[in-house]
Amino acid sequence: DQQVKQNSPSLSVQEGRISILNCDYTNSMFDYFLWYKKYPAEGPTFLISISSIKDKNEDGRFTVFLNKSAKHLSLHIVPSQPGDSAVYFCADQAGTALIFGKGTTLSVSS
Amino acid sequence: NAGVTQTPKFRVLKTGQSMTLLCAQDMNHEYMYWYRQDPGMGLRLIHYSVGEGTTAKGEVPDGYNVSRLKKQNFLLGLESAAPSQTSVYFCASRAGDLQGNYGYTFGSGTRLTVV
């Protein structure tokens, strides 16, 4: 069974609006979840993380929310910009390696 | 500071051929990883290493071998390439001491096509 699930393959948002990307997980024992952003022909780059002892972490336009009872986390981007168009991966720090979801392609139109 | 460097960037192989992908990092990181990315599948862990001379299997290790003879290098080998190994391969490294963003650095990828 997938440890990290991103059920929406794609999301389209208008510039200036909020983008919400979702991630569900099955592992009950974890330390951190991380979000990575990936542009075509480049490696993933770290965006934001959240630890198991927090419900929210904010960094500029990016906020990650963690709902432990629902085993769900979400990434909010406000306001969305065309440069945010990329693939976003949710990742679980499981043991010694990152376990990734399948990714969500975000398209922000101007 | 180059970070994580992958060579080659592109390669086309015939079925049955062998090749080695090289990952080099200059950050003195303990941990190194090989992932593959396929459409709709995200990044899946192939093999990883927690230090020089060590290797371990990840989620999809079949058909691949790895070696970590030097701390800065992590090699991924395909002994007999198959079309199913057509993918984009990413190497990553991180320090052994986890902090903040967990300090993973990814290379820019190797696009491999097996025909």
Side-chain angles (χ1 to χ4, degrees):
Chain A
D1 190 20
Q2 256 189 299
Q3 186 168 329
V4 180
K5 295 183 180 180
Q6 294 178 259
N7 293 319
S8 298
S10 62
L11 175 67
S12 295
V13 174
Q14 283 190 324
E15 182 178 8
R17 307 294 290 269
I18 185 172
S19 294
I20 300 177
L21 296 95
N22 295 302
C23 180
D24 297 307
Y25 63 92
T26 57
N27 188 10
S28 296
M29 303 287 291
F30 71 96
D31 293 322
Y32 274 85
F33 277 107
L34 301 88
W35 284 92
Y36 278 78
K37 178 179 181 179
K38 186 184 179 305
Y39 293 116
E42 294 184 9
T45 55
F46 171 77
L47 192 58
I48 192 169
S49 66
I50 189 165
S51 75
S52 59
I53 62 173
K54 293 186 175 181
D55 297 323
K56 174 183 174 181
N57 188 27
E58 188 172 359
D59 184 3
R61 296 186 297 115
F62 303 92
T63 303
V64 57
F65 296 91
L66 176 63
N67 182 333
K68 288 184 280 292
S69 61
K71 294 189 176 181
H72 178 83
L73 67 158
S74 60
L75 173 67
H76 293 210
I77 305 174
V78 184
S80 301
Q81 300 173 354
D84 296 329
S85 297
V87 180
Y88 289 79
F89 291 101
C90 172
D92 175 11
Q93 174 62 38
T96 55
L98 284 177
I99 304 300
F100 287 87
K102 293 185 177 181
T104 297
T105 301
L106 174 64
S107 299
V108 181
S109 58
S110 56
Chain B
N1 192 348
V4 175
T5 303
Q6 293 184 231
T7 54
K9 294 190 182 303
F10 304 93
R11 184 74 186 268
V12 178
L13 281 181
K14 292 183 178 180
T15 298
Q17 285 186 317
S18 63
M19 78 163 294
T20 300
L21 283 68
L22 171 63
C23 177
Q25 52 94 4
D26 60 2
M27 299 168 284
N28 201 36
H29 282 172
E30 292 293 332
Y31 291 68
M32 296 188 74
Y33 305 85
W34 277 107
Y35 288 89
R36 60 177 288 175
Q37 184 193 11
D38 302 293
M41 297 298 293
L43 283 84
R44 292 181 293 171
L45 182 65
I46 305 171
H47 286 280
Y48 65 97
S49 168
V50 301
E52 182 179 320
T54 75
T55 63
K57 294 181 179 180
E59 179 186 359
V60 288
D62 293 342
Y64 305 95
N65 56 75
V66 287
S67 64
R68 183 95 182 270
L69 298 180
K70 294 183 179 180
K71 185 177 184 179
Q72 64 268 33
N73 295 336
F74 195 29
L75 280 63
L76 178 71
L78 287 74
E79 291 186 345
S80 179
S84 61
Q85 294 177 304
T86 294
S87 187
V88 182
Y89 293 85
F90 289 99
C91 176
S93 71
R94 69 165 172 90
D97 183 16
L98 299 174
Q99 297 178 15
N101 69 7
Y102 273 49
Y104 284 82
T105 302
F106 282 82
S108 59
T110 295
R111 183 174 294 275
L112 175 66
T113 302
V114 183
V115 297

